[in-house]
Amino acid sequence: MKVHIPRVMLAATSSGSGKTMVTCGTLQALINKGLNPVSFKCGPDYIDPMFHGRVMGVSSKNLDTFFTEDNVTRYLLGKEAGKAGIAVLEGVMGFYDGLGGVNTKASSYDLARVTDTPVVLIIDAKGMSLSVVAEIEGFKNFMPDSNIAGVILNRMSPMILKRLQPEIENRIGVKVLGCVPVADEFAVESRHLGLITPAEIKDIKERINGFADVIAENIFLDKLIDIAKSAPDLEYEVPDIPKLPEGTKLRIGITHDNAFCFNYRDNVELIEDMGAEVVFFSPLNDRRLPDDLDGMILYGGYPEVYAKDLCDNSSMRNFIKSAINDGMPYLAECGGFMYLHSEMEDMKGVKYPMVGVIEGDAFMTGGLKRFGYINLTSDGKDVFGNKEMFCKGHEFHYFDSSSNGDGLKATKPLSSRSWQCCHVTEDSVAGFPHFYYYSNPDYIYSFLMRCADKKRK
């Protein structure tokens, strides 16, 4: 399949360069121009797509070249971006930063290369003048296929930019799209897993709209749109996705609220594409599980922030425990896994009773534990009827457990480091890893088939 999709990546030289706010402001400015954008986040980040989607109403997903092979990456881009007028891809970390810190695999550059997307590089230029030209030249020429077509200079005055623009465009051959002045009044706070989620910021819509006005006044949006239109046709083949047997009806309950907000839209849509019905529920706000569930998935988020509220909702905790004890198949990842413990600490170290199907405690460690991408294998153990199960995922958490499980083997890419993780039974997988289903659709299909088997019995 070959489709023309105007697209551009907003990348940066490092984390903290302002790319998330520039991306959000740019998306809102494009909406204000009536261009119907969609957005994608490079890498496994959950929170940035929330700002794109929940605040601005922009369809937003993740793209990750560690999780998916090249054709599937292009397919996921084309599948979503084909519905829109322009696609904006937000980079991650520094442009070339990938696996192990010394490899470009899974970097913003790698995603731009795989999808043949032109790049606009955002540079934090505070305190710089001519040196910024050297920085841009170094980034553009570090790889011959960098795809860097333009630059935005963050925290630089228009007066200095006016002098530097000819140097940048004539010497390096990239377009200068403008500069963004310091706008601290629109900044978004952070916490231990990244930015605070948009649901927790009362005036987030006003902040984004205000910053969109700053973008519209200081960035040449028409140049950015021209760069996006210059992208070549996107080519991909539609991958084969297993389907549930004809006539099979499944209802899968999935956690979704402020405490359990970490899920990939492509994971949820893949479940639906396989033929199951997805029903969202809130362990925070609902008193009971939805009716007639055949399985459930408890995704991650910030349960530690809402530990007392989760504890106080004893009705929901009892419904979940009873469903699991009665044999309902389930998956639990990171925060969802913590919620299933006997006890969980909050951010102040106060312990609260939780669901109680994992006999152990979830506790704060004060630092990142087992951070980054992992390959997950069944290591010869049975996972929903498969003894050679494989899936890719990642871990990113400040909490740990006194009962991590040993049903799967996690191995770091480009490394010999590995460890055992996850509680695995014939009906469940529960642990800290977040799984990305398109890395091996058979993983989630096997789970759905287990739900179907239990329903028939």
Side-chain angles (χ1 to χ4, degrees), residues 29-294:
L30 292 171
I31 292 171
N32 295 343
K33 288 176 70 71
L35 287 182
N36 185 31
V38 296
S39 69
F40 298 88
K41 174 64 181 180
C42 175
D45 183 275
Y46 290 105
I47 299 176
D48 286 348
M50 293 183 199
F51 282 87
H52 304 169
R54 297 186 189 180
V55 178
M56 294 168 284
V58 174
S59 176
S60 185
K61 292 186 175 181
N62 297 75
L63 292 172
D64 193 307
T65 55
F66 171 74
F67 288 152
T68 53
E69 61 183 31
D70 291 358
N71 177 69
V72 174
T73 304
R74 290 190 290 268
Y75 160 73
L76 292 173
L77 170 58
K79 176 174 177 277
E80 192 68 17
K83 310 170 186 176
I86 185 172
V88 178
L89 286 63
E90 181 185 344
V92 62
M93 298 179 65
F95 184 54
Y96 292 107
D97 299 333
L99 294 184
V102 293
N103 193 293
T104 60
K105 180 66 176 175
S107 66
S108 304
Y109 155 76
D110 196 36
L111 179 59
R113 178 190 64 80
V114 168
T115 60
D116 213 353
T117 297
V119 176
V120 171
L121 193 66
I122 299 165
I123 294 180
D124 185 351
K126 184 179 181 181
M128 299 176 71
S129 56
L130 187 62
S131 294
V132 80
V133 182
E135 185 170 357
I136 296 167
E137 186 171 26
F139 268 84
K140 185 176 190 304
N141 297 330
F142 183 73
M143 297 295 278
D145 56 350
S146 69
N147 279 355
I148 295 174
V151 293
I152 292 173
L153 301 177
N154 196 21
R155 303 203 296 173
M156 174 175 276
S157 75
M159 181 181 68
I160 297 177
L161 177 67
K162 186 175 181 179
R163 296 176 181 175
L164 289 178
Q165 184 167 347
E167 291 289 332
I168 295 170
E169 294 186 337
N170 296 334
R171 179 186 179 103
I172 308 173
V174 300
K175 295 180 180 179
V176 175
L177 274 63
C179 60
V180 181
V182 176
D184 291 339
E185 65 271 27
F186 302 119
V188 176
E189 298 85 0
S190 296
R191 66 151 62 98
H192 56 290
L193 294 184
L195 294 174
I196 288 178
T197 62
E200 301 170 84
I201 306 172
K202 293 181 180 179
D203 62 343
I204 185 60
K205 185 67 176 177
E206 289 74 17
R207 293 194 203 186
I208 296 298
N209 278 325
F211 198 68
D213 292 339
V214 173
I215 291 292
E217 292 170 6
N218 293 277
I219 299 300
F220 304 118
L221 285 174
D222 289 341
K223 283 187 177 182
L224 184 141
I225 294 167
D226 288 341
I227 288 174
K229 289 179 177 178
S230 73
D233 290 346
L234 186 72
E235 296 187 50
Y236 60 87
E237 299 295 329
V238 178
D240 292 328
I241 301 298
K243 305 284 187 180
L244 291 172
E246 188 174 351
T248 302
K249 293 184 179 181
L250 292 179
R251 280 170 57 86
I252 306 299
I254 293 180
T255 54
H256 191 68
D257 57 24
N258 287 351
F260 302 98
C261 51
F262 289 178
N263 62 64
Y264 296 118
R265 279 187 55 209
D266 279 317
N267 276 359
V268 175
E269 290 181 8
L270 183 59
I271 292 171
E272 294 174 323
D273 289 344
M274 288 179 173
E277 178 188 359
V278 167
V279 184
F280 291 108
F281 70 95
S282 169
L284 268 179
N285 305 311
D286 297 337
R287 304 304 297 174
R288 57 172 294 151
L289 288 170
D291 293 334
D292 301 323
L293 292 185
D294 303 302

Side-chain angles (χ1 to χ4, degrees), residues 3 9 73 178 190 212 215 243 268 321 374 394 427:
V3 292
M9 174 182 285
T73 304
S190 296
I215 291 292
K243 305 284 187 180
V268 175
K321 185 173 184 177
I374 47 176
H394 74 100
D427 294 325

